[in-house]
Amino acid sequence: MKASFKGSFFVFLKLRLQNQTLVRIMNKKEGTNVRILILKSMKTNQVSEMIYMKNNGDISKRRVKVLSVTNETFQAYCFLRGTKRIFKIENVLAFVPVINKERSVV
């Protein structure tokens, strides 16, 4: 999903309504929290979803599995592209773990 930075609020609102899940939007002051979430995802070997903004302003929603973390970037397997990618932590707008719930048959 691509959008300009100018209309990014509507992109987040649309993603929240389609998936009916809470997406925690991080601002620059909470950037360290994003890093903590990324580290926790790597330690627990958990798949996560993120909303990521490229340097040119394009916004995409990606499902990733974090492989390694440095001071400013992290390497993850991106299920959208099907390959390992390097992402800038400062460009992550939202980061949430994917929780798979087993449904019981009644």
Side-chain angles (χ1 to χ4, degrees), residues 2 6 12 14-16 18 26 41-42 45-46 56 63 66 69 74 79 85 91 94 97 99:
K2 294 184 180 179
K6 190 181 219 182
F12 297 139
K14 185 176 180 182
L15 290 172
R16 288 179 72 179
Q18 283 177 350
M26 306 288 182
S41 176
M42 182 183 72
N45 205 22
Q46 189 172 21
N56 67 2
R63 189 171 284 218
V66 180
V69 181
F74 66 97
F79 291 95
R85 309 284 289 210
N91 289 356
I99 300 170

Side-chain angles (χ1 to χ4, degrees), residues 61-79:
K61 180 180 174 187
R62 298 167 182 258
R63 189 171 284 218
V64 297
K65 185 172 185 181
V66 180
L67 304 172
S68 64
V69 181
T70 65
N71 288 338
E72 297 178 2
T73 63
F74 66 97
Q75 183 180 27
Y77 179 82
C78 176
F79 291 95

Side-chain angles (χ1 to χ4, degrees), residues 52-58 88 90-91:
Y52 186 77
M53 182 174 62
K54 294 182 190 176
N55 288 332
N56 67 2
D58 290 344
K88 291 183 180 178
E90 67 183 19
N91 289 356

Side-chain angles (χ1 to χ4, degrees), residues 2-93:
K2 294 184 180 179
S4 66
F5 182 70
K6 190 181 219 182
S8 62
F9 173 77
F10 297 105
V11 172
F12 297 139
L13 184 61
K14 185 176 180 182
L15 290 172
R16 288 179 72 179
L17 293 175
Q18 283 177 350
N19 294 333
Q20 296 181 1
T21 58
L22 294 175
V23 176
R24 184 171 178 205
I25 306 302
M26 306 288 182
N27 60 26
K28 293 296 180 188
K29 291 180 184 175
E30 295 179 294
T32 55
N33 290 338
V34 173
R35 191 171 197 287
I36 291 168
L37 292 172
I38 293 168
L39 286 168
K40 188 183 286 186
S41 176
M42 182 183 72
K43 287 179 184 176
T44 59
N45 205 22
Q46 189 172 21
V47 175
S48 300
E49 284 189 348
M50 71 174 177
I51 299 176
Y52 186 77
M53 182 174 62
K54 294 182 190 176
N55 288 332
N56 67 2
D58 290 344
I59 296 174
S60 63
K61 180 180 174 187
R62 298 167 182 258
R63 189 171 284 218
V64 297
K65 185 172 185 181
V66 180
L67 304 172
S68 64
V69 181
T70 65
N71 288 338
E72 297 178 2
T73 63
F74 66 97
Q75 183 180 27
Y77 179 82
C78 176
F79 291 95
L80 178 67
R81 302 287 182 226
T83 186
K84 290 181 186 177
R85 309 284 289 210
I86 296 176
F87 300 98
K88 291 183 180 178
I89 294 174
E90 67 183 19
N91 289 356
V92 176
L93 303 176

